[in-house]
Amino acid sequence: AQSVTQLGSHVSVSEGALVLLRCNYSSSVPPYLFWYVQYPNQGLQLLLKYTSAATLVKGINGFEAEFKKSETSFHLTKPSAHMSDAAEYFCAVSDPGGYQKVTFGTGTKLQVIP
Amino acid sequence: EADIYQTPRYLVIGTGKKITLECSQTMGHDKMYWYQQDPGMELHLIHYSYGVNSTEKGDLSSESTVSRIRTEHFPLTLESARPSHTSQYLCASSESGTGSGNTIYFGEGSWLTVV
């Protein structure tokens, strides 16, 4: 069984400030982990994914996430927020073999304040 | 870059009408999915398919139906639309095989409004 918890349905940051979106997972096998971004009226776009190689994963638009097995976490960060980062972000977990369906978190809406 | 296409993007229809939302992917992925998402809310899996002639209901009960006659095509049909069906419908696909981890690629979504 696998699950994902995203802490905070809404996060507000000032432009230029650090972005930190939290994701904790539960999985019975070593997981694959994903972050997706959704802009208004669009589908989800893959930001980055962890597939058991390097624990620090770099994605698009300056985002990165670190897999911490001891904390069962996969938090998403960006050093300096930009107005264009305002969107909904979803964390997801899967098993490497793809035998289970992907499980998505409930999403975190990021607001960037000028 | 994912190549998955949904039509129509936006649709307003009357109650009782039949509607089919089209979804096609050009990546040769075996697995395809339909998610339902209300504005600003979480995703709900309503249908999935692991290959041709294979369809399964998802975690959220839906009155819609799907078919998978060709690998690249996964249409969703509502026989009689109701206002409660108003939502965004997201089509997605992923490849099979060990190590793929089910990386899912999404279309841009179809916004359905039933009046």
mmCIF file of all heavy atoms in Angstrom, chain B residues 33-75:
data_model
loop_
_atom_site.group_PDB
_atom_site.id
_atom_site.type_symbol
_atom_site.label_atom_id
_atom_site.label_comp_id
_atom_site.label_asym_id
_atom_site.label_seq_id
_atom_site.Cartn_x
_atom_site.Cartn_y
_atom_site.Cartn_z
ATOM 1 N N TYR B 33 -5.346 6.583 -18.549
ATOM 2 C CA TYR B 33 -6.142 6.902 -17.363
ATOM 3 C C TYR B 33 -7.085 8.077 -17.659
ATOM 4 O O TYR B 33 -6.792 8.932 -18.485
ATOM 5 C CB TYR B 33 -5.238 7.338 -16.198
ATOM 6 C CG TYR B 33 -4.028 6.457 -15.950
ATOM 7 C CD1 TYR B 33 -2.857 6.627 -16.689
ATOM 8 C CD2 TYR B 33 -4.053 5.474 -14.964
ATOM 9 C CE1 TYR B 33 -1.742 5.831 -16.457
ATOM 10 C CE2 TYR B 33 -2.936 4.678 -14.733
ATOM 11 C CZ TYR B 33 -1.792 4.870 -15.480
ATOM 12 O OH TYR B 33 -0.686 4.082 -15.248
ATOM 13 N N TRP B 34 -8.184 8.121 -16.936
ATOM 14 C CA TRP B 34 -9.035 9.302 -16.876
ATOM 15 C C TRP B 34 -9.161 9.723 -15.413
ATOM 16 O O TRP B 34 -9.496 8.916 -14.551
ATOM 17 C CB TRP B 34 -10.425 9.036 -17.437
ATOM 18 C CG TRP B 34 -10.516 9.140 -18.917
ATOM 19 C CD1 TRP B 34 -10.581 8.127 -19.821
ATOM 20 C CD2 TRP B 34 -10.593 10.346 -19.692
ATOM 21 N NE1 TRP B 34 -10.671 8.626 -21.099
ATOM 22 C CE2 TRP B 34 -10.679 9.973 -21.046
ATOM 23 C CE3 TRP B 34 -10.591 11.706 -19.355
ATOM 24 C CZ2 TRP B 34 -10.768 10.915 -22.077
ATOM 25 C CZ3 TRP B 34 -10.673 12.636 -20.372
ATOM 26 C CH2 TRP B 34 -10.763 12.244 -21.724
ATOM 27 N N TYR B 35 -8.889 11.013 -15.174
ATOM 28 C CA TYR B 35 -9.066 11.593 -13.856
ATOM 29 C C TYR B 35 -10.138 12.672 -13.943
ATOM 30 O O TYR B 35 -10.272 13.356 -14.946
ATOM 31 C CB TYR B 35 -7.771 12.247 -13.358
ATOM 32 C CG TYR B 35 -6.670 11.279 -13.009
ATOM 33 C CD1 TYR B 35 -5.800 10.811 -13.995
ATOM 34 C CD2 TYR B 35 -6.479 10.843 -11.709
ATOM 35 C CE1 TYR B 35 -4.777 9.935 -13.679
ATOM 36 C CE2 TYR B 35 -5.456 9.964 -11.379
ATOM 37 C CZ TYR B 35 -4.609 9.512 -12.374
ATOM 38 O OH TYR B 35 -3.599 8.643 -12.065
ATOM 39 N N GLN B 36 -10.870 12.819 -12.853
ATOM 40 C CA GLN B 36 -11.824 13.907 -12.734
ATOM 41 C C GLN B 36 -11.315 14.870 -11.667
ATOM 42 O O GLN B 36 -10.841 14.445 -10.606
ATOM 43 C CB GLN B 36 -13.205 13.373 -12.340
ATOM 44 C CG GLN B 36 -14.285 14.439 -12.293
ATOM 45 C CD GLN B 36 -15.659 13.856 -12.017
ATOM 46 O OE1 GLN B 36 -15.875 12.653 -12.132
ATOM 47 N NE2 GLN B 36 -16.588 14.704 -11.652
ATOM 48 N N GLN B 37 -11.378 16.165 -11.967
ATOM 49 C CA GLN B 37 -10.860 17.155 -11.037
ATOM 50 C C GLN B 37 -11.751 18.385 -11.030
ATOM 51 O O GLN B 37 -11.897 19.053 -12.048
ATOM 52 C CB GLN B 37 -9.435 17.559 -11.413
ATOM 53 C CG GLN B 37 -8.798 18.530 -10.437
ATOM 54 C CD GLN B 37 -7.467 19.066 -10.921
ATOM 55 O OE1 GLN B 37 -7.248 19.206 -12.125
ATOM 56 N NE2 GLN B 37 -6.564 19.362 -9.990
ATOM 57 N N ASP B 38 -12.335 18.690 -9.891
ATOM 58 C CA ASP B 38 -13.073 19.930 -9.741
ATOM 59 C C ASP B 38 -12.070 21.071 -9.516
ATOM 60 O O ASP B 38 -10.959 20.838 -9.059
ATOM 61 C CB ASP B 38 -14.054 19.839 -8.583
ATOM 62 C CG ASP B 38 -15.186 18.876 -8.881
ATOM 63 O OD1 ASP B 38 -15.537 18.735 -10.081
ATOM 64 O OD2 ASP B 38 -15.717 18.249 -7.947
ATOM 65 N N PRO B 39 -12.457 22.313 -9.829
ATOM 66 C CA PRO B 39 -11.504 23.433 -9.755
ATOM 67 C C PRO B 39 -10.802 23.529 -8.410
ATOM 68 O O PRO B 39 -11.458 23.569 -7.360
ATOM 69 C CB PRO B 39 -12.389 24.655 -10.016
ATOM 70 C CG PRO B 39 -13.513 24.134 -10.838
ATOM 71 C CD PRO B 39 -13.775 22.742 -10.340
ATOM 72 N N GLY B 40 -9.486 23.543 -8.441
ATOM 73 C CA GLY B 40 -8.699 23.698 -7.228
ATOM 74 C C GLY B 40 -8.714 22.515 -6.287
ATOM 75 O O GLY B 40 -8.256 22.628 -5.150
ATOM 76 N N MET B 41 -9.217 21.400 -6.774
ATOM 77 C CA MET B 41 -9.369 20.236 -5.896
ATOM 78 C C MET B 41 -8.432 19.110 -6.327
ATOM 79 O O MET B 41 -7.675 19.223 -7.290
ATOM 80 C CB MET B 41 -10.826 19.757 -5.925
ATOM 81 C CG MET B 41 -11.827 20.822 -5.512
ATOM 82 S SD MET B 41 -11.608 21.371 -3.807
ATOM 83 C CE MET B 41 -12.308 19.964 -2.953
ATOM 84 N N GLU B 42 -8.502 18.009 -5.569
ATOM 85 C CA GLU B 42 -7.605 16.892 -5.850
ATOM 86 C C GLU B 42 -8.066 16.110 -7.075
ATOM 87 O O GLU B 42 -9.165 16.279 -7.585
ATOM 88 C CB GLU B 42 -7.550 15.967 -4.639
ATOM 89 C CG GLU B 42 -8.896 15.356 -4.274
ATOM 90 C CD GLU B 42 -8.847 14.718 -2.906
ATOM 91 O OE1 GLU B 42 -8.256 13.626 -2.779
ATOM 92 O OE2 GLU B 42 -9.405 15.309 -1.969
ATOM 93 N N LEU B 43 -7.197 15.237 -7.534
ATOM 94 C CA LEU B 43 -7.492 14.363 -8.666
ATOM 95 C C LEU B 43 -8.213 13.110 -8.186
ATOM 96 O O LEU B 43 -7.865 12.544 -7.148
ATOM 97 C CB LEU B 43 -6.189 13.931 -9.338
ATOM 98 C CG LEU B 43 -5.323 15.013 -9.941
ATOM 99 C CD1 LEU B 43 -3.926 14.478 -10.182
ATOM 100 C CD2 LEU B 43 -5.918 15.514 -11.237
ATOM 101 N N HIS B 44 -9.177 12.664 -8.977
ATOM 102 C CA HIS B 44 -9.851 11.407 -8.680
ATOM 103 C C HIS B 44 -9.756 10.500 -9.906
ATOM 104 O O HIS B 44 -10.226 10.869 -10.984
ATOM 105 C CB HIS B 44 -11.319 11.639 -8.321
ATOM 106 C CG HIS B 44 -11.521 12.386 -7.044
ATOM 107 N ND1 HIS B 44 -11.307 11.823 -5.813
ATOM 108 C CD2 HIS B 44 -11.901 13.669 -6.811
ATOM 109 C CE1 HIS B 44 -11.558 12.708 -4.854
ATOM 110 N NE2 HIS B 44 -11.914 13.843 -5.442
ATOM 111 N N LEU B 45 -9.187 9.325 -9.747
ATOM 112 C CA LEU B 45 -9.097 8.370 -10.836
ATOM 113 C C LEU B 45 -10.469 7.744 -11.061
ATOM 114 O O LEU B 45 -11.047 7.153 -10.150
ATOM 115 C CB LEU B 45 -8.072 7.291 -10.495
ATOM 116 C CG LEU B 45 -7.855 6.204 -11.540
ATOM 117 C CD1 LEU B 45 -7.232 6.788 -12.813
ATOM 118 C CD2 LEU B 45 -6.972 5.087 -10.990
ATOM 119 N N ILE B 46 -11.007 7.864 -12.276
ATOM 120 C CA ILE B 46 -12.323 7.303 -12.560
ATOM 121 C C ILE B 46 -12.256 6.085 -13.489
ATOM 122 O O ILE B 46 -13.131 5.213 -13.439
ATOM 123 C CB ILE B 46 -13.299 8.366 -13.114
ATOM 124 C CG1 ILE B 46 -12.716 9.097 -14.319
ATOM 125 C CG2 ILE B 46 -13.692 9.346 -12.021
ATOM 126 C CD1 ILE B 46 -13.693 10.055 -14.985
ATOM 127 N N HIS B 47 -11.271 6.011 -14.367
ATOM 128 C CA HIS B 47 -11.104 4.847 -15.250
ATOM 129 C C HIS B 47 -9.625 4.666 -15.566
ATOM 130 O O HIS B 47 -8.873 5.648 -15.600
ATOM 131 C CB HIS B 47 -11.859 5.031 -16.571
ATOM 132 C CG HIS B 47 -13.327 5.169 -16.461
ATOM 133 N ND1 HIS B 47 -14.171 4.101 -16.209
ATOM 134 C CD2 HIS B 47 -14.124 6.269 -16.551
ATOM 135 C CE1 HIS B 47 -15.418 4.533 -16.161
ATOM 136 N NE2 HIS B 47 -15.423 5.838 -16.362
ATOM 137 N N TYR B 48 -9.244 3.411 -15.835
ATOM 138 C CA TYR B 48 -7.908 3.175 -16.345
ATOM 139 C C TYR B 48 -7.901 1.941 -17.237
ATOM 140 O O TYR B 48 -8.823 1.116 -17.209
ATOM 141 C CB TYR B 48 -6.880 3.063 -15.220
ATOM 142 C CG TYR B 48 -7.065 1.918 -14.254
ATOM 143 C CD1 TYR B 48 -6.351 0.728 -14.391
ATOM 144 C CD2 TYR B 48 -7.926 2.031 -13.169
ATOM 145 C CE1 TYR B 48 -6.496 -0.295 -13.487
ATOM 146 C CE2 TYR B 48 -8.083 1.003 -12.262
ATOM 147 C CZ TYR B 48 -7.357 -0.159 -12.419
ATOM 148 O OH TYR B 48 -7.509 -1.190 -11.520
ATOM 149 N N SER B 49 -6.842 1.855 -18.021
ATOM 150 C CA SER B 49 -6.697 0.751 -18.961
ATOM 151 C C SER B 49 -5.228 0.357 -19.024
ATOM 152 O O SER B 49 -4.360 1.225 -19.126
ATOM 153 C CB SER B 49 -7.194 1.171 -20.341
ATOM 154 O OG SER B 49 -6.790 0.238 -21.321
ATOM 155 N N TYR B 50 -4.962 -0.926 -18.991
ATOM 156 C CA TYR B 50 -3.588 -1.407 -19.085
ATOM 157 C C TYR B 50 -3.266 -1.969 -20.476
ATOM 158 O O TYR B 50 -2.202 -2.544 -20.671
ATOM 159 C CB TYR B 50 -3.312 -2.446 -18.005
ATOM 160 C CG TYR B 50 -3.085 -1.848 -16.627
ATOM 161 C CD1 TYR B 50 -2.856 -2.664 -15.522
ATOM 162 C CD2 TYR B 50 -3.092 -0.477 -16.424
ATOM 163 C CE1 TYR B 50 -2.642 -2.132 -14.258
ATOM 164 C CE2 TYR B 50 -2.892 0.068 -15.173
ATOM 165 C CZ TYR B 50 -2.660 -0.757 -14.092
ATOM 166 O OH TYR B 50 -2.444 -0.222 -12.839
ATOM 167 N N GLY B 51 -4.200 -1.795 -21.394
ATOM 168 C CA GLY B 51 -3.932 -2.226 -22.751
ATOM 169 C C GLY B 51 -5.219 -2.349 -23.539
ATOM 170 O O GLY B 51 -6.320 -2.139 -23.007
ATOM 171 N N VAL B 52 -5.085 -2.715 -24.805
ATOM 172 C CA VAL B 52 -6.258 -2.856 -25.670
ATOM 173 C C VAL B 52 -7.241 -3.857 -25.069
ATOM 174 O O VAL B 52 -6.838 -4.912 -24.575
ATOM 175 C CB VAL B 52 -5.817 -3.291 -27.079
ATOM 176 C CG1 VAL B 52 -7.017 -3.648 -27.940
ATOM 177 C CG2 VAL B 52 -5.005 -2.172 -27.739
ATOM 178 N N ASN B 53 -8.510 -3.488 -25.126
ATOM 179 C CA ASN B 53 -9.625 -4.313 -24.622
ATOM 180 C C ASN B 53 -9.589 -4.527 -23.113
ATOM 181 O O ASN B 53 -10.270 -5.411 -22.593
ATOM 182 C CB ASN B 53 -9.674 -5.672 -25.333
ATOM 183 C CG ASN B 53 -10.017 -5.544 -26.798
ATOM 184 O OD1 ASN B 53 -10.781 -4.669 -27.187
ATOM 185 N ND2 ASN B 53 -9.438 -6.395 -27.617
ATOM 186 N N SER B 54 -8.799 -3.735 -22.418
ATOM 187 C CA SER B 54 -8.729 -3.781 -20.960
ATOM 188 C C SER B 54 -9.183 -2.451 -20.391
ATOM 189 O O SER B 54 -8.588 -1.406 -20.712
ATOM 190 C CB SER B 54 -7.300 -4.070 -20.507
ATOM 191 O OG SER B 54 -7.052 -3.533 -19.215
ATOM 192 N N THR B 55 -10.248 -2.442 -19.585
ATOM 193 C CA THR B 55 -10.670 -1.219 -18.902
ATOM 194 C C THR B 55 -11.111 -1.579 -17.492
ATOM 195 O O THR B 55 -11.687 -2.646 -17.269
ATOM 196 C CB THR B 55 -11.827 -0.506 -19.622
ATOM 197 O OG1 THR B 55 -12.959 -1.358 -19.670
ATOM 198 C CG2 THR B 55 -11.432 -0.084 -21.028
ATOM 199 N N GLU B 56 -10.849 -0.680 -16.568
ATOM 200 C CA GLU B 56 -11.196 -0.897 -15.171
ATOM 201 C C GLU B 56 -11.744 0.395 -14.589
ATOM 202 O O GLU B 56 -11.353 1.486 -15.019
ATOM 203 C CB GLU B 56 -9.969 -1.310 -14.349
ATOM 204 C CG GLU B 56 -9.271 -2.568 -14.820
ATOM 205 C CD GLU B 56 -10.042 -3.820 -14.483
ATOM 206 O OE1 GLU B 56 -10.966 -3.751 -13.632
ATOM 207 O OE2 GLU B 56 -9.716 -4.883 -15.055
ATOM 208 N N LYS B 57 -12.619 0.254 -13.620
ATOM 209 C CA LYS B 57 -13.097 1.435 -12.909
ATOM 210 C C LYS B 57 -12.059 1.873 -11.882
ATOM 211 O O LYS B 57 -11.350 1.059 -11.308
ATOM 212 C CB LYS B 57 -14.435 1.134 -12.236
ATOM 213 C CG LYS B 57 -15.583 0.962 -13.229
ATOM 214 C CD LYS B 57 -16.915 0.917 -12.539
ATOM 215 C CE LYS B 57 -18.049 0.770 -13.533
ATOM 216 N NZ LYS B 57 -18.140 1.970 -14.427
ATOM 217 N N GLY B 58 -12.008 3.179 -11.668
ATOM 218 C CA GLY B 58 -11.033 3.734 -10.754
ATOM 219 C C GLY B 58 -11.550 3.832 -9.340
ATOM 220 O O GLY B 58 -12.493 3.152 -8.940
ATOM 221 N N ASP B 59 -10.922 4.705 -8.576
ATOM 222 C CA ASP B 59 -11.233 4.829 -7.157
ATOM 223 C C ASP B 59 -12.535 5.580 -6.907
ATOM 224 O O ASP B 59 -13.194 5.381 -5.894
ATOM 225 C CB ASP B 59 -10.088 5.544 -6.439
ATOM 226 C CG ASP B 59 -8.753 4.858 -6.690
ATOM 227 O OD1 ASP B 59 -8.734 3.611 -6.692
ATOM 228 O OD2 ASP B 59 -7.751 5.559 -6.897
ATOM 229 N N LEU B 60 -12.895 6.466 -7.837
ATOM 230 C CA LEU B 60 -14.116 7.252 -7.683
ATOM 231 C C LEU B 60 -15.168 6.716 -8.645
ATOM 232 O O LEU B 60 -14.921 6.588 -9.847
ATOM 233 C CB LEU B 60 -13.856 8.732 -7.974
ATOM 234 C CG LEU B 60 -15.072 9.658 -7.865
ATOM 235 C CD1 LEU B 60 -15.500 9.784 -6.410
ATOM 236 C CD2 LEU B 60 -14.756 11.033 -8.455
ATOM 237 N N SER B 61 -16.336 6.419 -8.100
ATOM 238 C CA SER B 61 -17.414 5.921 -8.945
ATOM 239 C C SER B 61 -17.845 6.992 -9.949
ATOM 240 O O SER B 61 -17.971 8.166 -9.611
ATOM 241 C CB SER B 61 -18.603 5.525 -8.078
ATOM 242 O OG SER B 61 -19.688 5.124 -8.884
ATOM 243 N N SER B 62 -18.039 6.575 -11.183
ATOM 244 C CA SER B 62 -18.425 7.511 -12.226
ATOM 245 C C SER B 62 -19.476 6.875 -13.107
ATOM 246 O O SER B 62 -19.446 5.667 -13.352
ATOM 247 C CB SER B 62 -17.203 7.908 -13.057
ATOM 248 O OG SER B 62 -17.578 8.696 -14.160
ATOM 249 N N GLU B 63 -20.404 7.683 -13.601
ATOM 250 C CA GLU B 63 -21.420 7.185 -14.519
ATOM 251 C C GLU B 63 -20.915 7.141 -15.956
ATOM 252 O O GLU B 63 -21.634 6.715 -16.848
ATOM 253 C CB GLU B 63 -22.676 8.056 -14.413
ATOM 254 C CG GLU B 63 -23.342 7.935 -13.036
ATOM 255 C CD GLU B 63 -24.415 8.988 -12.814
ATOM 256 O OE1 GLU B 63 -24.408 10.012 -13.524
ATOM 257 O OE2 GLU B 63 -25.248 8.786 -11.918
ATOM 258 N N SER B 64 -19.703 7.564 -16.176
ATOM 259 C CA SER B 64 -19.136 7.523 -17.510
ATOM 260 C C SER B 64 -18.635 6.123 -17.840
ATOM 261 O O SER B 64 -18.456 5.286 -16.945
ATOM 262 C CB SER B 64 -17.976 8.522 -17.609
ATOM 263 O OG SER B 64 -16.989 8.218 -16.643
ATOM 264 N N THR B 65 -18.411 5.892 -19.128
ATOM 265 C CA THR B 65 -17.841 4.637 -19.589
ATOM 266 C C THR B 65 -16.667 4.935 -20.512
ATOM 267 O O THR B 65 -16.557 6.042 -21.052
ATOM 268 C CB THR B 65 -18.878 3.786 -20.356
ATOM 269 O OG1 THR B 65 -19.347 4.533 -21.479
ATOM 270 C CG2 THR B 65 -20.045 3.411 -19.467
ATOM 271 N N VAL B 66 -15.792 3.962 -20.671
ATOM 272 C CA VAL B 66 -14.623 4.125 -21.536
ATOM 273 C C VAL B 66 -14.478 2.905 -22.421
ATOM 274 O O VAL B 66 -15.078 1.856 -22.166
ATOM 275 C CB VAL B 66 -13.321 4.325 -20.729
ATOM 276 C CG1 VAL B 66 -13.332 5.647 -19.990
ATOM 277 C CG2 VAL B 66 -13.112 3.163 -19.761
ATOM 278 N N SER B 67 -13.666 3.044 -23.450
ATOM 279 C CA SER B 67 -13.335 1.920 -24.316
ATOM 280 C C SER B 67 -11.880 2.039 -24.723
ATOM 281 O O SER B 67 -11.313 3.141 -24.741
ATOM 282 C CB SER B 67 -14.235 1.883 -25.552
ATOM 283 O OG SER B 67 -14.048 3.054 -26.334
ATOM 284 N N ARG B 68 -11.265 0.924 -25.065
ATOM 285 C CA ARG B 68 -9.865 0.918 -25.509
ATOM 286 C C ARG B 68 -9.743 -0.111 -26.643
ATOM 287 O O ARG B 68 -9.321 -1.236 -26.454
ATOM 288 C CB ARG B 68 -8.950 0.543 -24.338
ATOM 289 C CG ARG B 68 -7.473 0.740 -24.665
ATOM 290 C CD ARG B 68 -6.997 2.105 -24.361
ATOM 291 N NE ARG B 68 -5.617 2.334 -24.700
ATOM 292 C CZ ARG B 68 -4.575 2.002 -23.929
ATOM 293 N NH1 ARG B 68 -4.779 1.390 -22.759
ATOM 294 N NH2 ARG B 68 -3.357 2.282 -24.306
ATOM 295 N N ILE B 69 -10.092 0.354 -27.819
ATOM 296 C CA ILE B 69 -10.042 -0.516 -28.997
ATOM 297 C C ILE B 69 -8.692 -0.416 -29.675
ATOM 298 O O ILE B 69 -8.219 -1.367 -30.307
ATOM 299 C CB ILE B 69 -11.182 -0.143 -29.965
ATOM 300 C CG1 ILE B 69 -12.532 -0.349 -29.280
ATOM 301 C CG2 ILE B 69 -11.102 -0.983 -31.232
ATOM 302 C CD1 ILE B 69 -13.697 0.143 -30.088
ATOM 303 N N ARG B 70 -8.062 0.742 -29.551
ATOM 304 C CA ARG B 70 -6.725 0.949 -30.112
ATOM 305 C C ARG B 70 -5.816 1.445 -29.011
ATOM 306 O O ARG B 70 -6.257 2.150 -28.104
ATOM 307 C CB ARG B 70 -6.762 1.956 -31.260
ATOM 308 C CG ARG B 70 -7.692 1.597 -32.401
ATOM 309 C CD ARG B 70 -7.357 2.385 -33.660
ATOM 310 N NE ARG B 70 -7.168 3.797 -33.442
ATOM 311 C CZ ARG B 70 -8.133 4.712 -33.552
ATOM 312 N NH1 ARG B 70 -9.360 4.331 -33.826
ATOM 313 N NH2 ARG B 70 -7.875 5.987 -33.375
ATOM 314 N N THR B 71 -4.553 1.123 -29.090
ATOM 315 C CA THR B 71 -3.589 1.519 -28.064
ATOM 316 C C THR B 71 -3.585 3.018 -27.827
ATOM 317 O O THR B 71 -3.514 3.486 -26.693
ATOM 318 C CB THR B 71 -2.171 1.071 -28.464
ATOM 319 O OG1 THR B 71 -2.130 -0.345 -28.544
ATOM 320 C CG2 THR B 71 -1.137 1.548 -27.430
ATOM 321 N N GLU B 72 -3.681 3.776 -28.908
ATOM 322 C CA GLU B 72 -3.494 5.221 -28.799
ATOM 323 C C GLU B 72 -4.758 5.982 -28.421
ATOM 324 O O GLU B 72 -4.691 7.184 -28.187
ATOM 325 C CB GLU B 72 -2.949 5.758 -30.132
ATOM 326 C CG GLU B 72 -3.885 5.619 -31.318
ATOM 327 C CD GLU B 72 -3.728 4.293 -32.045
ATOM 328 O OE1 GLU B 72 -3.198 3.321 -31.445
ATOM 329 O OE2 GLU B 72 -4.149 4.211 -33.219
ATOM 330 N N HIS B 73 -5.898 5.318 -28.343
ATOM 331 C CA HIS B 73 -7.165 6.017 -28.222
ATOM 332 C C HIS B 73 -7.939 5.527 -27.000
ATOM 333 O O HIS B 73 -8.109 4.317 -26.827
ATOM 334 C CB HIS B 73 -7.979 5.779 -29.504
ATOM 335 C CG HIS B 73 -9.118 6.710 -29.678
ATOM 336 N ND1 HIS B 73 -10.302 6.312 -30.276
ATOM 337 C CD2 HIS B 73 -9.279 8.009 -29.339
ATOM 338 C CE1 HIS B 73 -11.136 7.340 -30.296
ATOM 339 N NE2 HIS B 73 -10.534 8.369 -29.744
ATOM 340 N N PHE B 74 -8.437 6.455 -26.171
ATOM 341 C CA PHE B 74 -9.109 6.084 -24.920
ATOM 342 C C PHE B 74 -10.247 7.079 -24.656
ATOM 343 O O PHE B 74 -10.170 7.915 -23.764
ATOM 344 C CB PHE B 74 -8.088 6.092 -23.774
ATOM 345 C CG PHE B 74 -8.560 5.478 -22.489
ATOM 346 C CD1 PHE B 74 -9.290 4.302 -22.465
ATOM 347 C CD2 PHE B 74 -8.222 6.056 -21.259
ATOM 348 C CE1 PHE B 74 -9.690 3.710 -21.277
ATOM 349 C CE2 PHE B 74 -8.619 5.483 -20.053
ATOM 350 C CZ PHE B 74 -9.345 4.309 -20.065
ATOM 351 N N PRO B 75 -11.328 6.978 -25.405
ATOM 352 C CA PRO B 75 -12.418 7.938 -25.244
ATOM 353 C C PRO B 75 -13.276 7.671 -24.011
ATOM 354 O O PRO B 75 -13.431 6.513 -23.586
ATOM 355 C CB PRO B 75 -13.240 7.746 -26.518
ATOM 356 C CG PRO B 75 -12.979 6.329 -26.914
ATOM 357 C CD PRO B 75 -11.563 6.033 -26.499
#
